[in-house]
Amino acid sequence: MPDGLRGRGASAAAAPPPPPSAEAIEAAVRAVLGSLEGDLTAKEAALLAELEALGRTVRRVKAEIAALGVEDITASHIPSATDELDAVVEHTAAATNEILDCCETLERLEPQLGGEGQAALRGAITRIYEACSFQDITGQRIAKVVAALKAIEARVAAVVGTVARVAPAADAGGAAASPAEAAAGARPPPTEGQALAQGPQLPGAGVSQDEIDRLLASFD
Amino acid sequence: MEGDAAGIMDKSINVLIVDDYRTMLRIIRNLLKQLEFENVEEATDGREALAKLRAGNFGLVISDWNMQPMTGLDLLKEVRADPRLKATPFIMVTAESKTENVIAAKQAGVSNYIVKPFNAETLREKIEKVLAHA
């Protein structure tokens, strides 16, 4: 490898250059177009056509993004959706706790029944306890959806900031880090436990209790 | 034999249940009460659990995996690395049902692994099994 490239490579590894903003690209296109004067060769004419097309594309994309009103996604739609999901978790937790209150009351009454009635009531209460664990599973599934929505929100904000200049700060100094990138930079690396935590799997995607038992037995 | 295990199961031990969902803590506590385990304490993440384990004397840990800031797997590793706690039976009760999770838990020294949603019979069977080998 030539020394010059090696030197550039080392420099890039230390501090990767920020990606150019849409405005920087457009300015470069205009600068190149402005420098092309006089008779053009076929190659230069083709280049000119390409650059003009690129400039039109940049302007069209900016206009389309502005017309989409994407700022509503980060300002209203996603916060509203996550609030609704938080409310679902809150209300199902409240309802589940109410059910558990009732079960605990019934458990206290169990001894008064005695015999088969007591056993039947105990069995029914156990089944209710088992069923109430749905709240944990649905809560974890909803948390995964909220995390996905927040990731979409961060990416939309980054696109808006970079291309449509809706968030001018994103262009300061070439390319500021997105909120998600900034947050990721401040966090310590995940532990193995955090990296492997994926929450409940969809039916068929995870392993069953029987399969887990066989897997654990295979270590013995 | 499961019947033999049930016979020698010491129900007077202190049990620590760890889960960030208070509803789940309540469900497991009630199921343990049905199994006649009365000495049950709770923690809502691995860090709180570790502090309680180091301060107390527990004969069984039943822990969720997905908690912040310290996960159940990280708690398990801390327990197995602590000379005083390393022999404590540790059951993971979690919705994490990928093979890689089960293998990671086993390699970290988990005593048994229950996938959510679970039933009372599975809980009883796994507790009997780990206490029989404790």
Coordinates of all heavy atoms in Angstrom, one line a residue, chain A residues 129-185:
Chain A
Y129 N -53.5 -18.0 38.7 CA -52.1 -17.4 38.9 C -51.3 -17.7 37.6 O -50.6 -16.8 37.1 CB -51.4 -18.1 40.0 CG -51.9 -17.6 41.4 CD1 -51.9 -18.5 42.5 CD2 -52.3 -16.3 41.6 CE1 -52.3 -18.1 43.8 CE2 -52.8 -15.9 42.9 CZ -52.7 -16.8 43.9 OH -53.2 -16.4 45.2
E130 N -51.4 -18.9 37.1 CA -50.6 -19.2 35.9 C -51.1 -18.3 34.7 O -50.2 -17.8 34.0 CB -50.9 -20.7 35.5 CG -50.3 -21.7 36.4 CD -50.8 -23.1 36.2 OE1 -51.6 -23.3 35.3 OE2 -50.3 -24.0 36.9
A131 N -52.4 -18.1 34.6 CA -52.9 -17.3 33.4 C -52.5 -15.8 33.6 O -52.3 -15.2 32.6 CB -54.4 -17.4 33.4
C132 N -52.4 -15.4 34.8 CA -52.1 -14.0 35.1 C -50.6 -13.6 34.6 O -50.3 -12.4 34.5 CB -52.3 -13.6 36.5 SG -54.0 -13.3 36.9
S133 N -49.8 -14.6 34.4 CA -48.5 -14.3 33.9 C -48.5 -13.7 32.5 O -47.5 -13.2 32.0 CB -47.6 -15.5 34.0 OG -48.0 -16.5 33.1
F134 N -49.7 -13.7 31.9 CA -49.8 -13.1 30.6 C -49.3 -11.6 30.6 O -48.8 -11.1 29.7 CB -51.2 -13.1 30.1 CG -52.1 -12.0 30.5 CD1 -52.2 -10.8 29.8 CD2 -52.7 -12.0 31.8 CE1 -53.0 -9.7 30.3 CE2 -53.5 -11.0 32.3 CZ -53.6 -9.8 31.5
Q135 N -49.6 -11.0 31.8 CA -49.3 -9.6 31.9 C -47.8 -9.3 31.7 O -47.3 -8.3 31.1 CB -49.8 -9.0 33.2 CG -49.9 -7.5 33.3 CD -48.7 -6.8 33.8 OE1 -48.1 -7.3 34.7 NE2 -48.4 -5.6 33.3
D136 N -47.0 -10.2 32.3 CA -45.5 -10.1 32.1 C -45.1 -10.2 30.7 O -44.4 -9.4 30.1 CB -44.9 -11.2 33.0 CG -43.3 -11.2 32.9 OD1 -42.8 -10.1 32.5 OD2 -42.7 -12.2 33.2
I137 N -45.7 -11.3 30.0 CA -45.3 -11.5 28.6 C -45.7 -10.4 27.7 O -45.0 -9.9 26.9 CB -45.9 -12.9 28.1 CG1 -45.6 -14.0 29.1 CG2 -45.5 -13.2 26.7 CD1 -44.2 -14.4 29.1
T138 N -47.0 -9.9 27.9 CA -47.5 -8.9 27.0 C -46.7 -7.6 27.3 O -46.4 -6.8 26.4 CB -49.0 -8.6 27.2 OG1 -49.3 -8.4 28.6 CG2 -49.8 -9.8 26.7
G139 N -46.4 -7.4 28.6 CA -45.6 -6.2 28.9 C -44.3 -6.2 28.2 O -43.8 -5.1 27.7
Q140 N -43.6 -7.3 28.2 CA -42.3 -7.4 27.5 C -42.5 -7.3 26.0 O -41.6 -6.7 25.3 CB -41.7 -8.8 27.8 CG -41.2 -8.9 29.3 CD -40.3 -10.0 29.5 OE1 -39.3 -10.3 28.7 NE2 -40.6 -10.8 30.5
R141 N -43.6 -7.8 25.4 CA -43.8 -7.7 24.0 C -44.0 -6.2 23.6 O -43.5 -5.7 22.7 CB -45.0 -8.5 23.5 CG -44.7 -10.0 23.5 CD -45.8 -10.7 22.6 NE -45.7 -12.1 22.7 CZ -44.8 -12.9 22.2 NH1 -43.8 -12.3 21.5 NH2 -44.8 -14.2 22.3
I142 N -44.8 -5.5 24.5 CA -45.1 -4.1 24.2 C -43.8 -3.3 24.4 O -43.6 -2.3 23.6 CB -46.2 -3.6 25.1 CG1 -47.5 -4.2 24.7 CG2 -46.3 -2.1 25.1 CD1 -48.7 -4.0 25.6
A143 N -43.0 -3.6 25.3 CA -41.7 -2.9 25.5 C -40.8 -3.1 24.2 O -40.1 -2.1 23.8 CB -40.9 -3.5 26.7
K144 N -40.9 -4.2 23.6 CA -40.1 -4.4 22.3 C -40.7 -3.5 21.2 O -39.9 -2.9 20.5 CB -40.2 -5.9 21.9 CG -39.4 -6.8 22.7 CD -39.7 -8.3 22.4 CE -38.9 -8.8 21.2 NZ -39.0 -10.2 21.0
V145 N -42.0 -3.4 21.2 CA -42.6 -2.5 20.2 C -42.3 -1.1 20.4 O -41.9 -0.3 19.5 CB -44.2 -2.7 20.2 CG1 -44.8 -1.7 19.2 CG2 -44.6 -4.1 19.8
V146 N -42.3 -0.6 21.7 CA -41.9 0.7 22.0 C -40.5 1.0 21.6 O -40.2 2.1 21.1 CB -42.1 1.0 23.5 CG1 -41.5 2.3 24.0 CG2 -43.6 1.0 23.9
A147 N -39.6 0.0 21.9 CA -38.2 0.2 21.5 C -38.0 0.4 20.0 O -37.3 1.2 19.5 CB -37.3 -1.0 22.0
A148 N -38.8 -0.4 19.2 CA -38.8 -0.3 17.8 C -39.3 1.0 17.3 O -38.7 1.6 16.4 CB -39.6 -1.5 17.2
L149 N -40.4 1.5 17.9 CA -40.9 2.8 17.6 C -39.9 3.9 17.9 O -39.7 4.9 17.1 CB -42.2 3.1 18.3 CG -43.4 2.4 17.9 CD1 -44.6 2.6 18.9 CD2 -43.8 2.8 16.5
K150 N -39.2 3.8 19.0 CA -38.2 4.8 19.3 C -37.0 4.8 18.4 O -36.4 5.8 18.0 CB -37.7 4.7 20.8 CG -38.9 5.1 21.7 CD -38.5 5.1 23.2 CE -39.6 5.7 24.0 NZ -39.5 5.5 25.4
A151 N -36.6 3.6 17.9 CA -35.6 3.5 16.9 C -36.0 4.1 15.6 O -35.2 4.9 15.0 CB -35.2 2.0 16.7
I152 N -37.3 3.9 15.2 CA -37.8 4.6 14.0 C -37.8 6.1 14.2 O -37.4 6.8 13.3 CB -39.2 4.1 13.7 CG1 -39.2 2.6 13.3 CG2 -39.9 4.9 12.6 CD1 -40.6 1.9 13.3
E153 N -38.2 6.5 15.3 CA -38.2 8.0 15.6 C -36.9 8.6 15.5 O -36.7 9.7 14.8 CB -38.8 8.2 17.0 CG -38.9 9.6 17.5 CD -39.4 9.7 18.9 OE1 -39.2 8.8 19.7 OE2 -40.0 10.7 19.3
A154 N -35.8 7.9 16.0 CA -34.5 8.4 15.9 C -34.0 8.5 14.5 O -33.3 9.5 14.1 CB -33.5 7.6 16.8
R155 N -34.3 7.5 13.7 CA -33.9 7.5 12.3 C -34.6 8.5 11.5 O -34.0 9.2 10.6 CB -34.1 6.1 11.7 CG -32.9 5.1 12.1 CD -33.3 3.7 12.0 NE -32.2 2.8 12.4 CZ -31.8 2.6 13.7 NH1 -32.4 3.3 14.7 NH2 -30.8 1.8 14.0
V156 N -35.9 8.7 11.7 CA -36.6 9.7 11.0 C -36.0 11.1 11.3 O -35.8 11.9 10.4 CB -38.1 9.7 11.4 CG1 -38.9 10.9 10.9 CG2 -38.8 8.4 10.8
A157 N -35.7 11.3 12.6 CA -35.2 12.6 13.0 C -33.8 12.8 12.3 O -33.5 13.9 11.9 CB -35.0 12.6 14.5
A158 N -33.0 11.7 12.2 CA -31.7 11.9 11.5 C -31.9 12.2 10.0 O -31.2 13.1 9.5 CB -30.9 10.6 11.7
V159 N -32.9 11.5 9.4 CA -33.1 11.8 8.0 C -33.6 13.2 7.8 O -33.1 14.0 6.9 CB -34.2 10.8 7.4 CG1 -34.6 11.2 6.0 CG2 -33.6 9.4 7.4
V160 N -34.5 13.6 8.6 CA -35.0 15.0 8.5 C -33.9 16.0 8.7 O -33.8 17.0 8.0 CB -36.2 15.2 9.5 CG1 -36.5 16.7 9.7 CG2 -37.4 14.4 9.2
G161 N -33.1 15.8 9.7 CA -32.0 16.7 10.0 C -31.0 16.8 8.9 O -30.5 17.9 8.6
T162 N -30.7 15.7 8.3 CA -29.7 15.7 7.3 C -30.1 16.2 5.9 O -29.5 17.0 5.3 CB -29.1 14.2 7.1 OG1 -28.7 13.8 8.4 CG2 -28.0 14.2 6.1
V163 N -31.3 15.7 5.5 CA -31.8 16.0 4.2 C -32.6 17.3 4.1 O -32.5 18.1 3.2 CB -32.5 14.8 3.6 CG1 -33.0 15.1 2.1 CG2 -31.6 13.6 3.6
A164 N -33.6 17.4 5.0 CA -34.6 18.5 4.8 C -34.3 19.7 5.6 O -35.0 20.6 5.6 CB -36.0 17.9 5.1
R165 N -33.2 19.6 6.4 CA -32.8 20.8 7.3 C -33.9 21.2 8.2 O -34.0 22.3 8.7 CB -32.5 22.0 6.4 CG -31.0 22.1 6.2 CD -30.7 23.5 5.7 NE -29.3 23.7 5.5 CZ -28.4 23.9 6.5 NH1 -28.8 23.8 7.7 NH2 -27.1 24.1 6.2
V166 N -34.8 20.2 8.6 CA -35.8 20.5 9.6 C -35.2 20.7 10.9 O -35.6 21.6 11.7 CB -36.9 19.4 9.6 CG1 -37.8 19.6 10.8 CG2 -37.7 19.4 8.3
A167 N -34.1 19.9 11.2 CA -33.3 20.1 12.4 C -32.0 20.7 12.1 O -31.1 19.9 11.8 CB -33.2 18.8 13.1
P168 N -31.8 22.0 12.0 CA -30.6 22.6 11.5 C -29.3 22.1 12.3 O -28.3 22.0 11.7 CB -30.8 24.1 11.7 CG -32.3 24.3 11.8 CD -32.8 23.0 12.4
A169 N -29.5 21.8 13.6 CA -28.3 21.5 14.4 C -27.7 20.2 13.9 O -26.5 20.0 14.0 CB -28.8 21.2 15.8
A170 N -28.4 19.4 13.2 CA -27.9 18.1 12.6 C -26.8 18.4 11.6 O -26.0 17.5 11.3 CB -29.0 17.3 12.0
D171 N -26.8 19.6 10.9 CA -25.8 19.9 9.9 C -24.6 20.6 10.5 O -23.7 20.8 9.7 CB -26.5 20.7 8.8 CG -27.1 19.8 7.8 OD1 -26.8 18.6 7.8 OD2 -27.9 20.3 7.0
A172 N -24.7 21.0 11.7 CA -23.6 21.8 12.3 C -22.3 21.0 12.2 O -22.3 19.9 12.7 CB -23.9 22.2 13.7
G173 N -21.3 21.6 11.6 CA -20.0 20.9 11.5 C -20.0 19.7 10.6 O -19.2 18.9 10.7
G174 N -20.9 19.7 9.7 CA -21.0 18.6 8.7 C -22.0 17.6 9.0 O -22.9 17.4 8.2
A175 N -22.0 16.9 10.1 CA -23.0 15.9 10.5 C -22.9 15.7 12.0 O -22.0 15.0 12.4 CB -22.7 14.6 9.7
A176 N -23.8 16.2 12.7 CA -23.9 15.9 14.1 C -24.4 14.5 14.3 O -25.1 14.0 13.5 CB -24.8 16.9 14.8
A177 N -24.1 13.9 15.5 CA -24.6 12.6 15.8 C -26.1 12.7 16.0 O -26.6 13.7 16.6 CB -23.9 12.0 17.0
S178 N -26.8 11.6 15.6 CA -28.2 11.6 15.9 C -28.4 11.4 17.4 O -27.5 10.9 18.1 CB -28.9 10.4 15.1 OG -28.4 9.2 15.7
P179 N -29.6 11.7 17.9 CA -29.8 11.4 19.4 C -29.5 10.0 19.8 O -28.9 9.7 20.8 CB -31.3 11.7 19.5 CG -31.7 12.7 18.4 CD -30.8 12.3 17.3
A180 N -29.9 9.0 18.9 CA -29.7 7.6 19.2 C -28.2 7.3 19.2 O -27.7 6.6 20.1 CB -30.3 6.7 18.2
E181 N -27.4 7.9 18.3 CA -26.0 7.7 18.2 C -25.3 8.4 19.4 O -24.4 7.8 20.0 CB -25.4 8.3 16.9 CG -25.7 7.5 15.7 CD -25.4 8.3 14.4 OE1 -25.3 9.5 14.5 OE2 -25.4 7.6 13.4
A182 N -25.8 9.6 19.8 CA -25.2 10.2 20.9 C -25.4 9.4 22.2 O -24.5 9.3 23.0 CB -25.8 11.6 21.1
A183 N -26.7 8.9 22.3 CA -27.0 8.1 23.5 C -26.2 6.8 23.6 O -25.7 6.4 24.6 CB -28.5 7.8 23.5
A184 N -26.0 6.2 22.4 CA -25.2 5.0 22.3 C -23.8 5.2 22.7 O -23.1 4.4 23.3 CB -25.3 4.4 20.9
G185 N -23.2 6.4 22.3 CA -21.9 6.7 22.6 C -21.6 6.9 24.1 O -20.6 6.6 24.6

